[in-house]
């Protein structure tokens, strides 16, 4: 069946091509659904690394005809893509962000969806090209993947204009990756077709066009690249627009704010720097015996999620701390919980009072985590306090014997913490033998007790998910990623 609006693109042929290409199965299914529904769309820029995009390594830049927007959104929602909120410094008109998930590989797929030929330049400024209808008239199927892409001539014109637009607020130059992209495209361009397309777009071609291309392809001449880029850009320079009246002020603010934001956040608290999930965030905790891989899994998940989603790491063990974008946050009480001589001496003096300070610290951290989740961020918690098992497993420490005023305060504090709780808790199940083989320097009896008691742990209204942590790490992570995707 030939699909309208995409010349010579066949659904069955496309699926065969995708099977052979190094791309995810999910992008193959998405492509088939869009073609079947006759949605007018294309991967409109960066097609020299299209397979990297379709495997989840970079953004998938999709241009969708505005008349097909509702149909497109219906399809991505049906495929369980999640809409993202974009931070204000990266928001532009006619642009939406959707996040998908490939169940075979665990890759996150970012659909950078454009409903017009809009390209961001710098904070608050963007380029809006007037060639939407002509664009959809000059598409072809990618030979490797079957995805509709612009012809080399069209993509070259768009890239040349984008290159000059991106140089408006910095020293003129072309990054190495963009040079490679331009050279690849120019090697595919037919000059007579290029000139005909320029006439259709009502653009002039420089007299030195042929010699410029020759110098670029033979000598990688950057000056020739800049000359072509400047020549084509200045014919559409009125297409550069500002989202805000105070764009210049906001550009200065965001440029300098973001440059220092990660450093400042060490002292001010976690900042939301990435996109957030429409509909709210989650607090996701991991509990298990020593050797179950809690910290390794948490660190891998933070790397995976921060590809696009605002995510923060909270450690709720003996030395509670917070990491945000690879920076450990400063805490005024942090010195009480580290392993220095002063801290050890203080714990000895404080005796039972220390455990009250510890749970109070964790309560303040949970309050911060709740605030982040309400702002639609994700929080990954390494360990999590519980009340079912006393004396260990991040549970109450003062509940043995006849109790007393300290134990009563601790009990109230744990009640307070556990009532708030997490949204999702993963119990990492592992046998004592396997756990002990991974942690040979740990107390084997304590490991055995933790493995036995893990099933007893409950976490209020949280969704509790059991995971076989004895499997290879890659498989454990994939299973956890699938469960996270289904529950966020």
């Amino acid at each position: 069946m030939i699909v309208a609006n995409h010349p010579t693109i066949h659904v069955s042929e496309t699926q065969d091509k995708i099977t052979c290409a190094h791309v995810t199965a999910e992008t193959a299914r998405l492509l088939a659904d869009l073609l079947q529904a006759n949605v007018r769309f294309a991967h409109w820029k960066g097609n020299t690394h299209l397979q990297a995009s379709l495997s989840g390594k970079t953004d998938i830049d999709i241009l969708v005809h505005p008349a097909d927007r509702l149909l497109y959104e219906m399809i991505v929602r049906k495929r369980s893509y999640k809409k993202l909120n974009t931070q204000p410094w990266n928001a532009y008109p006619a642009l939406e962000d959707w996040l998908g998930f490939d169940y075979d590989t665990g890759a996150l797929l970012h659909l950078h969806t454009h409903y017009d030929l809009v390209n961001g330049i710098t904070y608050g400024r963007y380029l809006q090209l007037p060639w939407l209808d002509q664009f959809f008239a000059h598409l072809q199927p990618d030979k490797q993947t079957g995805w509709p892409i612009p012809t080399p001539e069209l993509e070259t014109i768009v890239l040349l204009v984008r290159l000059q637009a991106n140089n408006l607020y910095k020293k003129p130059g072309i990054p190495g990756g963009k040079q490679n992209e331009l050279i690849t495209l120019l090697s595919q361009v037919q000059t007579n077709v290029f000139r005909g397309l320029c006439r259709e777009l009502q653009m002039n071609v420089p007299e030195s066009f042929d010699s410029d291309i020759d110098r670029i392809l033979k000598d990688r001449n950057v000056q020739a690249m800049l000359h072509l880029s400047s020549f084509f850009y200045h014919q559409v320079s009125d297409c550069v627009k500002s989202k805000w009246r105070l764009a210049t002020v906001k550009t200065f603010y965001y440029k300098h704010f973001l440059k220092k934001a990660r450093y400042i956040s060490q002292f001010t608290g976690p900042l939301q720097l990435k996109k957030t999930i429409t509909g709210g965030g989650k607090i996701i905790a991991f509990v298990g015996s020593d050797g179950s891989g809690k910290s390794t899994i948490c660190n891998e998940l933070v790397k995976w999620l921060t590809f696009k989603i605002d995510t923060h790491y909270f450690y709720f063990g003996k030395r509670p701390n917070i990491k945000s974008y690879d920076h450990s946050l400063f805490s005024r009480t942090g010195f009480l919980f580290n392993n220095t001589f002063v801290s050890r001496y203080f714990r000895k003096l404080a005796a039972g009072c220390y455990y009250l300070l510890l749970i109070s610290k964790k309560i303040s951290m949970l309050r911060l985590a709740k605030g982040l989740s309400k702002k639609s961020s994700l929080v990954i918690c390494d360990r999590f306090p519980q009340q079912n098992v006393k004396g260990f497993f991040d549970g109450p420490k003062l509940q043995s014997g006849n109790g007393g005023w300290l134990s009563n305060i601790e009990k109230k504090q744990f009640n307070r913490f556990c009532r708030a709780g997490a949204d999702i808790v993963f119990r990492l199940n592992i046998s004592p033998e396997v756990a002990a083989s991974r942690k040979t320097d740990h107390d084997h009896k304590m490991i055995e007790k933790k493995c036995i008691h893990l099933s007893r742990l409950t976490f209020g209204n949280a969704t509790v998910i059991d995971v076989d942590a004895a499997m290879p790490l890659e498989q454990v992570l994939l299973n956890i990623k699938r469960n996270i995707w289904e529950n966020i």
Side-chain angles (χ1 to χ4, degrees):
M1 178 185 72
I2 297 178
V3 181
N5 305 314
H6 296 291
T8 72
I9 299 178
H10 297 253
V11 174
S12 58
E13 292 177 2
T14 294
Q15 290 172 330
D16 291 338
K17 289 177 180 178
I18 290 285
T19 303
C20 300
H22 298 290
V23 300
T24 58
E26 172 54 36
T27 56
R29 299 185 187 104
L30 174 64
L31 172 61
D33 285 356
L34 293 173
L35 293 176
Q36 189 71 40
N38 293 333
V39 175
R40 287 167 288 180
F41 74 101
H43 190 276
W44 76 285
K45 61 179 181 176
N47 288 298
T48 57
H49 54 259
L50 177 58
Q51 290 193 33
S53 299
L54 299 180
S55 64
K57 293 181 175 64
T58 60
D59 294 348
I60 302 173
D61 284 295
I62 293 184
L63 175 67
V64 177
H65 196 286
D68 293 339
R69 179 171 184 166
L70 293 179
L71 181 56
Y72 168 81
E73 292 188 1
M74 182 187 73
I75 290 171
V76 294
R77 287 184 190 277
K78 186 177 180 180
R79 297 210 59 79
S80 299
Y81 285 70
K82 304 179 192 301
K83 193 172 183 180
L84 301 179
N85 300 313
T86 304
Q87 298 297 346
W89 51 84
N90 282 329
Y92 300 99
L95 177 64
E96 286 185 343
D97 292 283
W98 295 84
L99 196 66
F101 177 75
D102 182 67
Y103 270 76
D104 294 343
T105 64
L108 293 174
L109 305 168
H110 175 218
L111 302 182
H112 204 48
T113 306
H114 303 252
Y115 300 105
D116 203 349
L117 287 171
V118 173
N119 185 79
I121 299 174
T122 187
Y123 312 111
R125 288 189 172 86
Y126 59 95
L127 178 68
Q128 188 169 22
L129 297 172
W131 307 323
L132 186 66
D133 291 333
Q134 294 93 330
F135 191 95
F136 282 102
H138 292 275
L139 299 180
Q140 64 181 26
D142 175 63
K143 293 179 180 179
Q144 296 297 319
T145 68
W147 273 68
I149 61 174
T151 61
E153 294 77 17
L154 176 58
E155 188 168 1
T156 298
I157 293 174
V158 172
L159 177 58
L160 288 169
V161 173
R162 288 172 51 217
L163 289 175
Q164 183 63 26
N166 290 334
N167 281 332
L168 292 179
Y169 304 100
K170 56 187 178 183
K171 186 178 179 180
I174 301 178
K178 292 299 181 184
Q179 291 181 31
N180 294 336
E181 183 178 351
L182 181 58
I183 290 170
T184 300
L185 287 171
L186 286 175
S187 68
Q188 302 170 24
V189 163
Q190 299 179 47
T191 55
N192 61 325
V193 176
F194 188 94
R195 293 176 188 277
L197 179 59
C198 286
R199 285 193 296 271
E200 184 179 338
L201 300 179
Q202 299 181 349
M203 301 187 77
N204 297 317
V205 177
E207 293 182 2
S208 61
F209 180 67
D210 291 329
S211 61
D212 284 340
I213 291 181
D214 190 57
R215 286 193 295 159
I216 291 170
L217 294 180
K218 285 185 177 180
D219 305 321
R220 199 186 183 94
N221 190 293
V222 176
Q223 290 304 314
M225 296 181 191
L226 290 171
H227 173 256
L228 286 180
S229 176
S230 176
F231 185 90
F232 285 103
Y233 166 78
H234 283 100
Q235 296 180 65
V236 292
S237 58
D238 59 342
C239 293
V240 174
K241 300 178 180 179
S242 297
K243 188 176 187 322
W244 304 289
R245 292 181 179 179
L246 297 177
T248 302
V249 175
K250 292 200 173 186
T251 294
F252 179 85
Y253 170 74
Y254 284 130
K255 183 177 180 180
H256 292 277
F257 166 74
L258 293 175
K259 193 173 182 180
K260 298 179 175 61
R262 293 186 184 184
Y263 175 78
I264 296 172
S265 68
Q266 298 176 77
F267 308 98
T268 60
L271 292 173
Q272 292 182 299
L273 298 178
K274 292 290 183 76
K275 303 177 192 300
T276 58
I277 301 173
T278 300
K282 299 286 183 181
I283 296 176
I284 305 171
F286 291 82
V287 297
S289 165
D290 303 310
S292 61
K294 296 183 295 296
S295 296
T296 299
I297 288 170
C298 288
N299 285 317
E300 289 297 322
L301 292 174
V302 170
K303 292 177 186 176
W304 171 64
L305 290 165
T306 49
F307 168 59
K308 285 300 166 185
I309 304 175
D310 190 72
T311 307
H312 307 272
Y313 172 91
F314 281 54
Y315 180 81
F316 280 100
K318 294 178 181 178
R319 300 181 181 89
N321 64 84
I322 300 171
K323 281 186 180 180
S324 181
Y325 294 98
D326 295 328
H327 286 294
S328 296
L329 302 193
F330 172 77
S331 171
R332 288 174 296 179
T333 59
F335 76 95
L336 301 177
F337 308 107
N338 59 35
N339 201 33
T340 63
F341 171 79
V342 174
S343 179
R344 293 196 300 271
Y345 185 71
F346 170 80
R347 288 197 290 270
K348 185 176 180 180
L349 289 178
C353 291
Y354 167 76
Y355 295 109
L356 299 185
L357 294 174
L358 182 62
I359 186 60
S360 295
K361 169 69 174 179
K362 294 179 181 180
I363 288 172
S364 67
M365 287 173 58
L366 182 61
R367 188 182 302 117
L368 181 57
K370 285 289 185 183
L372 287 168
S373 69
K374 287 179 180 178
K375 294 179 181 178
S376 300
S377 296
L378 296 180
V379 177
I380 300 296
C381 301
D382 186 345
R383 296 161 173 78
F384 210 72
Q386 49 77 37
Q387 289 179 300
N388 304 96
V389 179
K390 297 174 175 58
F392 63 99
F393 238 155
D394 299 305
K397 300 284 189 179
L398 305 174
Q399 301 305 302
S400 59
N402 297 324
W405 68 275
L406 286 177
S407 63
N408 289 334
I409 294 175
E410 184 191 47
K411 186 175 181 179
K412 289 179 181 178
Q413 292 288 68
F414 267 86
N415 286 337
R416 183 181 171 190
F417 185 98
C418 294
R419 275 197 303 270
D423 299 300
I424 306 168
V425 177
F426 286 91
R427 290 190 298 209
L428 304 177
N429 298 295
I430 192 172
S431 68
E433 294 76 21
V434 174
S437 69
R438 293 179 178 178
K439 294 288 185 179
T440 56
D441 58 334
H442 283 51
D443 185 338
H444 288 193
K445 289 185 178 180
M446 180 57 70
I447 287 177
E448 184 175 4
K449 287 174 66 177
K450 288 183 177 181
C451 290
I452 293 171
H453 286 87
L454 182 60
S455 61
R456 291 180 53 194
L457 303 186
T458 58
F459 296 90
N461 296 322
T463 298
V464 179
I465 300 171
D466 286 294
V467 175
D468 181 1
M471 294 188 298
L473 177 61
E474 293 77 12
Q475 187 60 49
V476 173
L477 284 170
L478 182 57
N479 291 340
I480 291 172
K481 288 175 181 179
R482 288 170 175 171
N483 279 288
I484 288 177
W485 184 256
E486 291 170 359
N487 286 278
I488 60 174

